[in-house]
Amino acid sequence: MLSNYLTTALRNLVRYKVYSFINILGLAIGFASCMVIFLYINAELSYDKYHQDRDRLFRVGQMEKTENASYFGAVTAPPLAAALKESFPQVEYAAHISMMHSQLVSHDDRSFYEERCLRASADLFNILTMPFVLGEPETALERPYTVVISQSAAVRYFGYDNPLGDILKINDTEFEVTGVVRDAPPNTHLKYNIITSLAQYEGRPFMENWLYHAFYTYVKLTPGADPDILSGRMQRIGDKYAKALFDEHGYTYRFILQAVPDLHLHACPNDEPEPPGNPLYLYIFGSIGILILMIACVNFMNLTTARSASRAREIGVRKVVGARRIQLVRQFLGESIIVAALALLTALVMVELTLPNLRELTGNDLALAGLLNPLAFSVMAGLLLVVGIAAGGYPAIFLSRLRPAFIFKGHQGTTSRASLLRKILVVGQFAISIVLIIGTLMVHHQLNFMKNRSLDFDGRQKLVIPVRGGISITDNYESVKSEFLKHSSVLGATASSDVLGTEFMSIYTRLVGEDDTKDQSILHLYYDGDFIPMHDIRIIAGRPFDPELGDEANTRFLLNESAVATFGWTTPEDALGKKIYTGYGGREGEIVGVTADFHFRGLQNDIQPLVMEWFPAAFRTLTLNVSMENLNETMSYVETTWRDLYPAHPFDYFFLDEFFNRQYRAEERMEKIFWAFSLLGLFIAGLGILGLASFMAERRSKEISIRKVLGASPSGIAVLIGKEFLGLVVVASMISCPLAYYAASRWLESFAYRTRIGAGIFILASILAMVIALVSVSYQAIRAALTNPAQVLKYE
Amino acid sequence: MIKIRDLRKVYTTEEVETTALNSVNLEIGEGEYAAIMGPSGCGKSTLLNILGMLDNPTSGEYFFKEQDVAKYSERQRANLRKRNIGFVFQSFNLIDELTIYENVELPLLYLGIPASERRKRVNEVLEQLQIMPRKKHFPQQLSGGQQQRVAVARAVIANPGLILADEPTGNLDSVHGDEVMQLLTTLNENGTTIVMVTHSQAYAEYSRRIVNLFDGHIVTENIRKAAGAQ
């Protein structure tokens, strides 16, 4: 019996090639979309799942509170790790690590700036899984000035020689290589190239300072230990060691355990070592995958029920010769599962072919291998069954219900109820497609809005040179600047702590005279006297920094408008002359000016309060204002000058505006993904309509011919067929516009600065859907309109 | 074999009620050969469909082999049908996607007959009806007469006691029509009960009894002495 079903199914597929092609292609695209999204979601969920004993691994975060502010950060004080291990038997290992800014690492004549350099205590390797290729994890970081490097770093500096015992220079300090570990996998929240020992800092005051928040603290619990109980007990563990210090500073805190495998998607809002994932995007993309698959399923249902007329006779015959209804249901479900399986295979090929583009699009290291595991297999098998049953279920039930007596009397398999259902499904398909198009247009608009809106500072023609690898420009930044300014195309130069568009340091700040319970965590930016004029930042009260007035030597501050508000002053002028105290180095000084708010972060974010100071000790960046004429020549001058100044340090640069726009990468990626999926959705829906239209033209051939005999023109006939589908698309757009409006406004809420949702987007999306529908229908409509009525009516 | 009493069949649509059969009483004994005649729309096919349990009567009694089947569920009817009744239709109703062999084999599949037994029986029947050389062809590759022979083969493959033929010659020329009628006669001679709907007086003459229907009623019945003579 099975082989009979199989034979019938396959012969049907071959006989109705166009329908089969539409069904399989549509479903395959739907499956492929789902697979890609599954791979992406799976990659996001796989973060840090590879660690051994991962259920016992935690990072300790810290919630700080003052009267005015609260701050949840991932970094804690250096003594915390040892304190946890000493105080709680359920803590088996505890390690603290700190991230270093990019370091200049060299060996012989090879030197590179290395990102992702850590300093770590020896227990790190007992907690996180970092497999050693060479060296001993137990002892690798025990001694001072030792370093463990990743395999690719080892190749970079030592080729394929054994580097153990060799010397690596990191910012002019020599470290002995004591271990080589495998490269960090892409799916970890803590990536590393270079890990140096912390032993050389032992006994230094900062290592004992409970208020020095610069270290990530990791713990591994003993087997069976309950993290909730530990979490409750350790919240105030610092009091045991430094209560007096905390009381003195009015400092309130609470330690919080965060499971390591959760860190990527449920990250700390502050101080994460890598940009974390966003669970919202997982939901959005997951929903898109399901919607696309639904569109494809609808095609399947529609074409199968539409075609039931041609299967009706077979059903009648099977019933007459003894088939029970359940046998027919099984047969048709089986057929749809066969089609779904063919589509699934096609989808696998599609995914494999498009993977390179998808890796670029999603920024994830996706691989088809991600589908070769029991979970993916069961998901695919589940998908196959669900789609097979969902798409084939209705036709199966519908077809098996047909009565042979009716069929043989010439009643066709379709009923008005079935055709109503088909219409509803087409409306649903187009509604989904229109929602996706509106989503795409919305993301596009918001991106354009963010990229084109004035940032209230001038970011054009700014060449940024990071100063790193142990170079300090604290004492000579003016002379360094003047070397570059010798070229006539270098129009200006300024030194600063950070680049606009990066995360600034957040430091406790209060008014002088107030006690430290009033501390507020405020962002700080440090720069010299040329920064404000070069970036064209507006001063709305007081004055900018002025070298003539001794702003460098005397601690003086500028605030932005938002900072004025957080201190409770009503006008910018109120701030002038007031003195503030800032925790970084514990300095006091007068506020001499207030700038207008400018966007130092992407427009996703509100403008936050900002304190600015002329403080050369923090300078790590040079920015040159360069003329765009003869840029190549200017660039080579700048590079030569850098090499003359710092022969050991590679030259590295970027342009500020490009760098700033990198903050919109997530949105750019989302736009591309939306584009891809809404086009796919429309394509599948269009295919479906194409199939339905050809079916309709076939079914109505007699009606069309009679109309023609009675004098209908070909264009009139084409309109007759076209308008039916157009009506459905109009209904779809009426349903989808409010839905899309709701979703778009929810999404836009996550942006501090957002575009308006205009009617244009909705109209454009609806028109696009109508055009697709018309194009899909037109071929059939025209063909039907041009058929010779005599031929059709002869057969009737 | 068949006993019908006071049978009524009414078709109801949203606006109209059409009585297809009204107070029909009919008995057909084992081994009989009956032809049902009448003009278009008189209820012939409806009667045949009810006899074949493809449709339920609106009211009345229907005894098939002493069982009251008028109120049987679809499943019960399917069960009874596949063991006892073979159908031959005017438009052959072969499944286009299946070969001749597979078409003929189909009833045996639904009866759950083992493969070796099926092969034997299908080959026998195909041989008998002289369509063996065509067994790998698809229906569209055969002439109308050949297709109807395949349909007859399919109707008899499960050795049913009753064959219901709905205008079996309607789509055939006279040569092929005669062939099919001969086939049915032979089956009847071998003991199969046959009920045939036909428009053709000539073909009705093959039967031993002619039932004339008009407007849903049986108007006359002629019992004939011998079958097969034209």
Side-chain angles (χ1 to χ4, degrees):
Chain A
M1 183 61 83
L2 195 65
S3 78
N4 183 277
Y5 289 164
L6 211 61
T7 317
T8 318
L10 291 179
R11 287 184 191 151
N12 253 305
L13 282 178
V14 176
R15 185 156 170 215
Y16 301 99
K17 289 182 196 71
V18 177
Y19 289 111
S20 310
F21 176 76
I22 291 176
N23 263 340
I24 293 174
L25 181 67
L27 264 188
I29 293 174
F31 276 135
S33 309
C34 274
M35 282 178 197
V36 168
I37 286 166
F38 173 82
L39 283 176
Y40 169 75
I41 292 179
N42 207 26
E44 287 289 295
L45 292 177
S46 73
Y47 268 69
D48 293 301
K49 298 280 193 294
Y50 65 89
H51 295 293
Q52 279 167 19
D53 303 322
R54 58 172 192 251
D55 300 338
R56 291 155 55 194
L57 309 183
F58 296 87
R59 193 180 69 190
V60 185
Q62 178 167 259
M63 177 71 87
E64 303 165 38
K65 270 204 170 106
T66 67
E67 216 170 274
N68 293 331
S70 71
Y71 183 87
F72 182 25
V75 287
T76 49
L80 177 64
L84 289 172
K85 197 168 174 190
E86 184 186 279
S87 307
F88 299 106
Q90 55 268 62
V91 174
E92 190 176 357
Y93 297 105
H96 51 309
I97 65 174
S98 72
M99 297 291 287
M100 296 182 279
H101 283 292
S102 71
Q103 306 284 303
L104 182 70
V105 178
S106 47
H107 173 72
D108 292 340
D109 56 346
R110 302 176 197 188
S111 54
F112 301 96
Y113 288 119
E114 290 285 351
E115 306 294 333
R116 292 162 174 157
C117 302
L118 315 179
R119 278 184 285 237
S121 58
D123 263 351
L124 176 67
F125 302 124
N126 289 321
I127 301 173
L128 301 182
T129 300
M130 299 179 177
F132 268 64
V133 181
L134 292 170
E136 296 299 326
E138 292 77 21
T139 55
L141 294 180
E142 258 181 3
R143 286 180 293 118
Y145 300 107
T146 50
V147 63
V148 172
I149 57 179
S150 69
Q151 247 175 323
S152 51
V155 173
R156 216 159 27 244
Y157 296 100
F158 302 98
Y160 291 93
D161 297 339
N162 182 344
L164 287 191
D166 235 322
I167 296 299
L168 206 56
K169 257 168 69 177
I170 303 177
N171 288 357
D172 292 330
T173 309
E174 293 190 341
F175 286 80
E176 179 194 339
V177 179
T178 50
V180 176
V181 285
R182 274 204 216 132
D183 285 357
N187 55 349
T188 176
H189 77 288
L190 183 72
K191 302 197 167 60
Y192 48 82
N193 284 320
I194 304 282
I195 308 168
T196 68
S197 165
L198 271 173
Q200 62 271 24
Y201 302 110
E202 251 167 50
R204 298 263 195 98
F206 75 86
M207 292 300 279
E208 305 303 327
N209 183 351
W210 276 90
L211 290 179
Y212 180 59
H213 300 144
F215 282 80
Y216 298 97
T217 303
Y218 288 87
V219 292
K220 180 176 189 175
L221 305 189
T222 51
D226 186 337
D228 293 334
I229 294 177
L230 177 66
S231 185
R233 290 188 186 153
M234 56 169 258
Q235 284 192 16
R236 307 276 317 167
I237 183 65
D239 288 2
K240 185 172 153 192
Y241 298 88
K243 188 159 191 324
L245 179 74
F246 297 151
D247 288 346
E248 183 193 329
H249 285 81
Y251 175 74
T252 325
Y253 68 93
R254 193 156 57 87
F255 292 127
I256 292 165
L257 274 186
Q258 290 182 287
V260 167
D262 292 346
L263 288 174
H264 178 65
L265 287 175
H266 299 95
C268 245
N270 298 293
D271 319 319
E272 281 294 342
E274 297 285 335
N278 186 346
L280 175 70
Y281 285 89
L282 299 195
Y283 290 121
I284 291 179
F285 294 140
S287 321
I288 290 179
I290 291 170
L291 289 179
I292 295 279
L293 193 59
M294 275 167 63
I295 296 182
C297 282
V298 164
N299 272 4
F300 191 97
M301 288 173 73
N302 270 349
L303 292 181
T304 314
T305 50
R307 273 197 44 231
S308 59
S310 62
R311 298 293 297 269
R313 204 173 56 162
E314 178 193 336
I315 294 155
V317 172
R318 283 185 184 270
K319 280 197 164 182
V320 162
V321 300
R324 280 185 291 127
R325 200 172 155 199
I326 182 74
Q327 287 175 307
L328 290 169
V329 169
R330 255 186 261 153
Q331 179 189 346
F332 286 106
L333 277 183
E335 279 187 22
S336 74
I337 290 173
I338 289 174
V339 171
L342 288 174
L344 195 69
L345 291 176
T346 317
L348 279 171
V349 177
M350 286 178 176
V351 172
E352 175 63 22
L353 292 178
T354 49
L355 266 182
N357 300 330
L358 293 169
R359 278 189 207 112
E360 206 187 310
L361 192 65
T362 59
N364 267 0
D365 189 28
L366 305 178
L368 202 59
L371 291 175
L372 305 177
N373 57 56
L375 173 70
F377 273 132
S378 25
V379 169
M380 282 194 283
L383 217 55
L384 195 66
L385 279 181
V386 169
V387 169
I389 291 170
Y394 176 75
I397 290 167
F398 169 78
L399 289 175
S400 67
R401 198 192 282 150
L402 298 177
R403 286 169 160 231
F406 279 84
I407 297 167
F408 297 139
K409 253 189 196 147
H411 284 273
Q412 297 259 349
T414 53
T415 63
S416 59
R417 215 168 60 195
S419 89
L420 177 68
L421 181 83
R422 269 201 300 281
K423 285 178 184 165
I424 292 174
L425 290 175
V426 169
V427 167
Q429 269 186 321
F430 272 85
I432 294 173
S433 304
I434 294 172
V435 167
L436 288 176
I437 303 169
I438 293 173
T440 311
L441 294 174
M442 215 53 246
V443 177
H444 179 73
H445 262 242
Q446 174 64 12
L447 250 179
N448 263 357
F449 170 80
M450 291 196 291
K451 284 182 177 169
N452 295 329
R453 192 186 143 109
S454 161
L455 298 169
D456 297 314
F457 72 84
D458 185 0
R460 293 166 305 167
Q461 303 174 216
K462 304 289 182 293
L463 179 74
V464 181
I465 307 170
V467 178
R468 52 189 176 173
I471 306 173
S472 167
I473 51 171
T474 301
D475 300 322
N476 63 340
Y477 67 95
E478 285 298 353
S479 66
V480 171
K481 276 160 61 180
S482 62
E483 286 303 316
F484 291 107
L485 283 166
K486 281 180 186 161
H487 194 283
S488 60
S489 288
V490 178
L491 309 172
T494 178
S496 61
S497 57
D498 299 275
V499 191
L500 300 178
T502 53
E503 205 170 329
F504 300 162
M505 244 195 298
S506 161
I507 295 165
Y508 280 128
T509 310
R510 60 174 183 264
L511 274 176
V512 170
E514 285 186 329
D515 68 65
D516 49 16
T517 58
K518 302 281 191 220
D519 269 345
Q520 310 191 55
S521 192
I522 297 185
L523 298 175
H524 278 55
L525 174 65
Y526 304 100
Y527 51 68
D528 64 15
D530 291 314
F531 192 89
I532 294 247
M534 212 175 92
H535 287 88
D536 205 10
I537 294 168
R538 210 153 51 86
I539 297 287
I540 55 171
R543 59 175 180 80
F545 292 135
D546 189 339
E548 306 291 318
L549 298 174
D551 289 336
E552 180 184 359
N554 303 297
T555 306
R556 281 170 191 158
F557 298 102
L558 297 177
L559 300 188
N560 70 350
E561 236 176 315
S562 300
V564 170
T566 54
F567 281 107
W569 297 311
T570 41
T571 67
E573 284 73 19
D574 294 344
L576 301 179
K578 301 281 190 326
K579 284 193 157 182
I580 54 171
Y581 168 89
T582 137
Y584 193 49
R587 287 185 318 285
E588 289 182 14
E590 188 189 328
I591 298 165
V592 296
V594 176
T595 70
D597 276 342
F598 58 97
H599 294 278
F600 48 88
R601 299 292 307 278
L603 292 175
Q604 301 97 328
N605 312 291
D606 257 324
I607 296 180
Q608 294 188 7
L610 181 67
V611 169
M612 294 153 276
E613 186 191 345
W614 189 335
F615 185 50
F619 290 172
R620 294 188 277 122
T621 309
L622 277 171
T623 305
L624 307 180
N625 194 10
V626 292
S627 159
M628 286 290 130
E629 282 165 34
N630 305 322
L631 189 61
N632 283 343
E633 198 234 312
T634 316
M635 288 305 298
S636 74
Y637 170 78
V638 171
E639 183 169 357
T640 315
T641 310
W642 175 269
R643 288 194 192 291
D644 290 345
L645 286 165
Y646 304 106
H649 291 70
F651 173 65
D652 197 10
Y653 73 93
F654 52 84
F655 282 93
L656 179 57
D657 42 6
E658 285 167 17
F659 178 80
F660 197 90
N661 280 342
R662 275 187 223 166
Q663 296 174 88
Y664 303 133
R665 270 188 191 162
E667 287 78 19
E668 280 171 350
R669 191 169 289 158
M670 186 161 161
E671 187 196 10
K672 283 186 193 155
I673 292 175
F674 251 108
W675 258 127
F677 282 121
S678 51
L679 287 182
L680 285 179
L682 262 188
F683 177 70
I684 304 175
L687 267 186
I689 283 214
L690 183 75
L692 269 189
S694 80
F695 158 77
M696 264 186 48
E698 200 179 296
R699 285 275 313 238
R700 294 172 70 175
S701 57
K702 185 178 164 190
E703 176 203 333
I704 290 168
S705 301
I706 293 173
R707 280 176 189 271
K708 285 186 81 170
V709 169
L710 296 177
S713 68
S715 59
I717 297 289
V719 168
L720 178 78
I721 294 193
K723 111 182 151 190
E724 186 161 338
F725 284 98
L726 213 56
L728 298 182
V729 179
V730 170
V731 175
S733 80
M734 288 193 308
I735 293 172
S736 55
C737 286
L739 288 177
Y741 180 86
Y742 174 74
S745 42
R746 287 294 303 271
W747 177 70
L748 282 176
E749 275 170 22
S750 65
F751 294 87
Y753 298 88
R754 43 187 180 256
T755 177
R756 280 187 312 109
I757 308 180
I761 285 178
F762 297 91
I763 295 169
L764 190 62
S766 305
I767 289 178
L768 188 61
M770 283 178 208
V771 168
I772 297 279
L774 270 187
V775 168
S776 312
V777 170
S778 57
Y779 169 71
Q780 285 302 336
I782 291 167
R783 212 176 72 152
L786 296 180
T787 43
N788 177 2
Q791 231 164 13
V792 175
L793 294 176
K794 196 169 73 185
Y795 290 117
E796 285 293 330
Chain B
M1 181 172 241
I2 287 172
K3 195 188 276 178
I4 279 173
R5 259 195 235 127
D6 210 13
L7 195 83
R8 231 171 95 82
K9 178 72 187 178
V10 180
Y11 291 108
T12 316
T13 61
E14 275 166 24
E15 283 152 19
V16 218
E17 220 174 58
T18 318
T19 306
L21 293 174
N22 202 0
S23 308
V24 174
N25 294 296
L26 182 69
E27 269 185 53
I28 291 169
E30 202 106 19
E32 263 201 76
Y33 188 163
I36 302 175
M37 289 192 72
S40 285
C42 71
K44 305 185 295 286
S45 293
T46 305
L47 180 61
L48 205 69
N49 283 335
I50 291 175
L51 293 182
M53 290 175 247
L54 299 178
D55 208 351
N56 269 344
T58 309
S59 64
E61 289 175 329
Y62 175 19
F63 290 92
F64 183 84
K65 288 190 165 178
E66 318 290 318
Q67 300 174 62
D68 183 0
V69 298
K71 301 263 163 10
Y72 267 26
S73 70
E74 178 167 343
R75 190 180 168 155
Q76 286 170 309
R77 282 187 279 145
N79 233 340
L80 204 60
R81 188 165 60 221
K82 69 181 171 189
R83 285 168 210 289
N84 296 291
I85 306 175
F87 290 85
V88 179
F89 300 96
Q90 176 180 4
S91 52
F92 325 134
N93 282 334
L94 299 174
I95 297 177
D96 292 339
E97 283 71 31
L98 299 180
T99 60
I100 299 311
Y101 180 95
E102 289 160 348
N103 264 293
V104 176
E105 185 193 26
L106 202 58
L108 301 182
L109 280 172
Y110 285 113
L111 282 168
I113 309 279
S116 57
E117 169 79 12
R118 286 204 306 266
R119 204 173 314 124
K120 196 173 129 248
R121 278 168 71 173
V122 175
N123 284 332
E124 266 174 26
V125 170
L126 291 177
E127 200 70 68
Q128 243 172 31
L129 296 182
Q130 297 160 11
I131 35 182
M132 195 60 171
R134 299 293 206 150
K135 73 175 190 179
K136 287 189 176 156
H137 288 81
F138 287 93
Q140 309 92 303
Q141 297 170 299
L142 269 58
S143 71
Q146 286 170 322
Q147 287 192 47
Q148 195 60 301
R149 250 190 292 162
V150 176
V152 173
R154 187 181 61 191
V156 301
I157 187 77
N159 291 325
L162 172 66
I163 286 188
L164 299 176
D166 192 353
E167 305 215 26
T169 55
N171 277 356
L172 302 178
D173 59 35
S174 63
V175 177
H176 287 115
D178 291 348
E179 246 178 58
V180 169
M181 289 316 296
Q182 209 54 60
L183 220 56
L184 292 177
T185 307
T186 312
L187 285 171
N188 177 246
E189 282 164 2
N190 293 334
T192 309
T193 312
I194 293 178
V195 180
M196 171 180 73
V197 164
T198 180
H199 270 121
S200 151
Q201 181 72 43
Y203 289 136
E205 302 284 323
Y206 277 81
S207 70
R208 280 183 276 174
R209 176 177 167 193
I210 299 176
V211 180
N212 286 302
L213 270 182
F214 187 78
D215 246 359
H217 298 274
I218 294 179
V219 282
T220 54
E221 273 194 67
N222 312 324
I223 312 277
R224 295 157 44 75
K225 292 255 182 302
Q230 270 192 291

